[in-house]
Amino acid sequence: MIDNRIILDELVIECREPWPAGRGVELGRRVAQALAQELATVQQRRLRDIRRGAAVPGVLRVERLCLRLSDPNASPVTIARTVRDALVSAWRCDEQPV
């Protein structure tokens, strides 16, 4: 069985400025939704690479992901894409031959 799952155990979003509880919860929910969509795209790309023999099957597991936002008005989609790019970069580095 080929396993190309990406597992994120905990997502923490911190911001310099205090937020009303409702606004923080809403941002967290929207970032989590956007990130789930981005990670699905990464999983599809990994599966294609695995089938071509360009990648090794395995689980990419992130225990805790902490985002520190300097701008409280950052777009959830922009945040999710930034996280996706960081994960793809880490995954690609991890699969480079030594």
Side-chain angles (χ1 to χ4, degrees):
M1 178 176 158
I2 294 175
D3 193 346
N4 67 316
R5 290 178 296 159
I6 299 171
I7 300 169
L8 175 60
D9 288 327
E10 182 181 13
L11 172 62
V12 179
I13 301 174
E14 296 177 355
C15 190
R16 287 185 189 173
E17 302 172 14
W19 289 0
R23 184 167 178 234
V25 169
E26 177 62 19
L27 176 67
R29 185 185 64 75
R30 291 177 59 207
V31 168
Q33 286 176 338
L35 187 54
Q37 292 173 348
E38 294 294 336
L39 293 183
T41 301
V42 172
Q43 288 173 315
Q44 291 169 357
R45 189 179 323 156
R46 288 181 74 207
L47 187 54
R48 279 194 305 269
D49 287 354
I50 289 167
R51 288 181 177 152
R52 283 193 343 240
V56 179
V59 175
L60 179 59
R61 182 174 201 108
V62 179
E63 298 290 332
R64 183 171 198 250
L65 179 61
C66 185
L67 305 174
R68 291 181 177 88
L69 303 180
S70 58
D71 179 7
N73 300 311
S75 158
V77 172
T78 301
I79 294 168
R81 287 184 179 154
T82 301
V83 172
R84 176 204 59 200
D85 292 347
L87 289 173
V88 167
S89 178
W91 156 50
R92 296 255 186 234
C93 289
D94 191 45
E95 293 193 345
Q96 296 300 319
V98 177

